[in-house]
Amino acid sequence: MTASGDSTPAVAGGLARHIPVLGRPALAYLAVRAGGVYIDATFGAGGYSREILAAADCSVIGIDRDQSAIARGADLVQAAGGRLVLVEEQFSNLQAVAKDRGHAAVDGIVFDLGVSSMQLDQAERGFSFRHDGPLNMRMGGDGPTAADVVATASERDLAVIIATLGEERFARPVARALVAARREAPIQTTRELAEIVSRVVHARPGAIHPATRTFQALRIFVNEELAELAAGLAAAERVLKPGGRLVVVAFHSLEDRIVKSFLTERSRRGGFSRHMPEAVQAATTFQVLTKRPIVPDEAEMSANPRARSAKLRAAERTDAPIATGPATDVLPRLPTLTDVLGRPR
């Protein structure tokens, strides 16, 4: 397999072949070129990195906060012949990662948000109710676990977290059930959590598992994923060259809303505030390339059910200087991990 228009070979080594969700349009919007430097901000199984490396004689910096993902990518690094470097880090720090490797600016950045299939399949990571394991859910190796949050958060905080991040309409009864259950014994495994939730949220034919939304909410909260996304987008704005491309694939409505709001704000004609005089308003830092999000076609959804909720948004960096900070104003109001772990129950 070779990239179109040149003789750059595809990178065949390393991880088992992983087809990234919306991989073809993502690659098209990145507009990969020879000599370019690209950041795969969520390396995971290496799917996007492999496709970028195969598209042109370029370099890729792969970032992942999951140590096991970095370790599994070692063979792909070797197969890439010096064109791929992997870094264990949170993608909010991608500017520092690029600078440490001699790149003040890069040509493109891709984000594939959410939890990976590999993480879901590892029982010991505690991400899924399909496998019984410790109630962990951490993408990295440190910090509080989901079990810590469930054990410590007040009933009110649990309800807010589950309602906001899981969009669970039965959040209050679920929070009440969790608090009642932990009075009897600590909730320490994914099976225990799923069974407690299932007593409150009843299964319906053809619907998702009753515990899906609660698991999703706790995972996002434990890993502070929405704040990390806002900081990562701001970091991308700082490190992209003029003409550099940003591509984001989101699977959760809250994630997509943050991406959409960020790009709308940064691409708004006339600046970032209608209250500022036109003469002093900031120039736009991004040109949006996707007026509507790109979604998977029927064939991709049939081949990969995980793709069903995916939305891709892309933008091109202008030559305007940075005018604002992270898009924290689009984050939902939630208690922080520090708040939850420090408050009395």
Side-chain angles (χ1 to χ4, degrees), residues 71-134:
R72 283 192 298 268
D75 289 344
L76 185 58
V77 171
Q78 184 175 5
R83 295 194 294 136
L84 172 65
V85 61
L86 298 184
V87 182
E88 182 186 345
E89 184 58 271
Q90 294 183 199
F91 60 61
S92 56
N93 296 321
L94 63 84
Q95 184 181 23
V97 169
K99 185 177 180 181
D100 287 346
R101 276 136 195 90
H103 302 291
V106 301
D107 298 276
I109 301 172
V110 60
F111 293 85
D112 177 19
L113 304 174
V115 66
S116 73
S117 298
M118 294 182 301
Q119 290 169 327
L120 288 171
D121 290 339
Q122 294 175 306
E124 66 274 15
R125 303 299 298 275
F127 284 107
S128 175
F129 43 76
R130 292 187 291 112
H131 310 285
D132 190 27

Side-chain angles (χ1 to χ4, degrees), residues 154-168 171-172 175 217 221 332-335 343:
S154 68
E155 182 179 320
R156 181 182 181 278
D157 283 345
L158 282 172
V160 170
I161 291 165
I162 295 167
T164 305
L165 300 181
E167 298 177 320
E168 172 58 74
R172 288 185 180 181
F221 185 74
R333 293 191 176 186
L334 287 168
R343 286 179 185 170

Side-chain angles (χ1 to χ4, degrees), residues 1 8-9 35 49 57 62 78 84 100 141-142 162 166 171 180 185 195 203 220 230 234 244 248 279 281 295 322 326:
M1 177 179 176
T8 304
S49 289
D57 186 11
Q78 184 175 5
L84 172 65
D100 287 346
D142 53 12
I162 295 167
E195 288 177 350
I220 292 173
V248 185
Q281 287 187 14
V295 297
I322 305 300

Side-chain angles (χ1 to χ4, degrees), residues 4 22 42 55 131 160 195-196 224-225 282 297 334:
S4 59
L22 292 170
T42 48
H131 310 285
V160 170
E195 288 177 350
I196 293 165
E224 300 179 290
E225 293 177 39
D297 57 23
L334 287 168

Side-chain angles (χ1 to χ4, degrees), residues 86-341:
L86 298 184
V87 182
E88 182 186 345
E89 184 58 271
Q90 294 183 199
F91 60 61
S92 56
N93 296 321
L94 63 84
Q95 184 181 23
V97 169
K99 185 177 180 181
D100 287 346
R101 276 136 195 90
H103 302 291
V106 301
D107 298 276
I109 301 172
V110 60
F111 293 85
D112 177 19
L113 304 174
V115 66
S116 73
S117 298
M118 294 182 301
Q119 290 169 327
L120 288 171
D121 290 339
Q122 294 175 306
E124 66 274 15
R125 303 299 298 275
F127 284 107
S128 175
F129 43 76
R130 292 187 291 112
H131 310 285
D132 190 27
L135 195 56
N136 186 345
M137 297 195 191
R138 295 176 300 181
M139 289 183 176
D142 53 12
T145 66
D148 295 327
V149 173
V150 170
T152 308
S154 68
E155 182 179 320
R156 181 182 181 278
D157 283 345
L158 282 172
V160 170
I161 291 165
I162 295 167
T164 305
L165 300 181
E167 298 177 320
E168 172 58 74
R169 45 189 285 225
F170 299 107
R172 288 185 180 181
V174 168
R176 194 177 306 123
L178 292 176
V179 170
R182 75 188 185 192
R183 290 195 189 106
E184 302 298 322
I187 304 168
Q188 297 179 328
T189 70
T190 55
R191 178 174 295 167
E192 291 169 351
L193 177 62
E195 288 177 350
I196 293 165
V197 176
S198 296
R199 294 176 203 147
V200 178
V201 184
H202 301 297
R204 293 178 294 170
I208 61 174
H209 188 283
T212 299
R213 294 186 176 91
T214 297
F215 269 71
Q216 173 183 278
L218 289 171
R219 187 206 82 220
I220 292 173
F221 185 74
V222 164
N223 295 289
E224 300 179 290
E225 293 177 39
L226 299 187
E228 177 74 2
L229 172 57
L233 293 171
E237 182 183 36
R238 293 191 299 270
V239 79
L240 279 169
K241 297 176 180 177
R245 297 289 184 88
L246 171 66
V247 175
V248 185
V249 179
F251 295 85
H252 187 285
S253 61
L254 290 175
E255 293 171 340
D256 182 61
R257 197 175 306 154
I258 290 171
V259 177
K260 179 182 178 182
S261 297
F262 177 85
L263 293 179
T264 298
E265 188 77 0
R266 264 49 173 189
S267 63
R268 186 181 298 156
R269 187 178 298 276
F272 300 122
S273 174
R274 68 179 186 273
H275 303 295
M276 293 174 63
E278 185 174 351
V280 299
Q281 287 187 14
T284 59
T285 55
F286 278 102
Q287 177 186 354
V288 175
L289 303 175
T290 48
K291 290 185 178 180
R292 291 185 177 86
I294 306 301
V295 297
D297 57 23
E298 291 294 334
E300 182 167 8
M301 288 189 288
S302 177
N304 181 9
R306 178 176 175 258
R308 286 175 299 180
S309 59
K311 291 182 178 180
L312 181 152
R313 297 185 188 271
E316 183 175 294
R317 184 71 168 86
T318 70
D319 60 0
I322 305 300
T324 57
T328 52
D329 56 325
V330 300
L331 295 176
R333 293 191 176 186
L334 287 168
T336 67
L337 274 171
T338 302
D339 291 338
V340 164
L341 295 176

